[in-house]
C-alpha cells in the first residue's frame, strides 16, 4: 500500500482517513490482506477514534444538561424568593388592617375581631 511506505506517508494516510473521512476499507483491507498483523493496529485506531469522539459528544451533552439544571434551580430560587416577598407583603397588609388603634402591635381583641371580620385572615 502506497500510503504506508514511510512513516510520513503513514501519518498522512491516517490523518486523511480520520479527519477527511476517507473510507477505512479502501486503506485498511488491502493493507490487512498484505500484512495481517496491521489489523490489530487499525482496529485499535478505529476504536480509539470512535470512543474519543463519542466521549467528546457525550461530554458536551452532559455539560449542557448540567448548565440547564443549574439555570432551572436558579429560576426556581428566584421564583420562591419572589413568592415569599409577596406573601410577606400580604401578611403585613393583613396585620396593618388588624391594628385598628394604629399602635404598631396587634392585641388579642384585634386578632379576634380580625378572625371574625377579615376573610383573608
Amino acid at each position: 500500500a502506497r500510503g504506508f511506505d514511510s512513516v510520513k506517508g503513514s501519518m498522512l494516510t491516517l490523518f486523511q482517513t480520520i479527519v477527511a473521512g476517507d473510507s477505512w476499507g479502501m486503506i485498511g483491507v488491502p493493507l490487512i490482506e498484505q500484512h495481517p498483523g496491521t489489523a490489530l493496529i487499525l482496529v485499535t485506531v478505529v476504536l480509539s477514534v470512535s470512543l474519543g469522539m463519542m466521549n467528546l459528544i457525550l461530554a458536551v451533552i452532559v455539560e449542557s444538561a448540567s448548565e440547564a439544571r443549574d439555570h432551572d434551580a436558579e429560576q426556581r430560587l428566584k421564583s420562591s424568593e419572589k413568592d415569599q416577598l409577596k406573601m410577606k407583603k400580604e401578611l403585613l397588609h393583613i396585620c396593618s388592617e388588624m391594628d385598628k388603634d394604629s399602635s404598631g402591635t396587634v392585641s388579642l381583641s384585634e386578632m379576634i375581631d380580625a378572625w371574625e371580620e377579615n376573610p383573608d385572615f
Side-chain angles (χ1 to χ4, degrees):
R2 181 187 60 78
F4 294 96
D5 58 356
S6 68
V7 174
K8 185 177 177 182
S10 298
M11 293 302 293
L12 180 60
T13 302
L14 197 58
F15 176 80
Q16 179 182 359
T17 306
I18 293 171
V19 176
D22 288 351
S23 175
W24 280 99
M26 286 177 51
I27 303 288
V29 172
L31 185 63
I32 292 170
E33 287 174 349
Q34 204 169 45
H35 303 284
T38 58
L40 181 63
I41 295 170
L42 291 176
V43 168
T44 303
V45 169
V46 170
L47 289 176
S48 297
V49 169
S50 298
L51 291 175
M53 288 300 293
M54 187 170 51
N55 190 26
L56 287 174
I57 292 168
L58 186 60
V60 169
I61 292 170
V62 168
E63 181 66 24
S64 297
S66 177
E67 288 175 4
R69 183 193 66 222
D70 292 344
H71 180 70
D72 186 49
E74 288 175 15
Q75 291 299 101
R76 283 187 293 186
L77 182 62
K78 287 179 184 178
S79 177
S80 175
E81 289 172 351
K82 192 183 220 183
D83 290 345
Q84 284 182 355
L85 183 62
K86 182 181 174 187
M87 286 189 282
K88 286 178 184 179
K89 286 181 180 180
E90 288 175 6
L91 182 61
L92 185 61
H93 178 71
I94 290 171
C95 288
S96 66
E97 285 181 353
M98 288 172 32
D99 187 18
K100 300 285 185 189
D101 61 0
S102 299
S103 64
T105 60
V106 179
S107 67
L108 180 59
S109 62
E110 289 173 327
M111 199 175 289
I112 292 171
D113 290 343
W115 176 258
E116 294 172 354
E117 298 169 5
N118 191 342
D120 292 334
F121 183 62

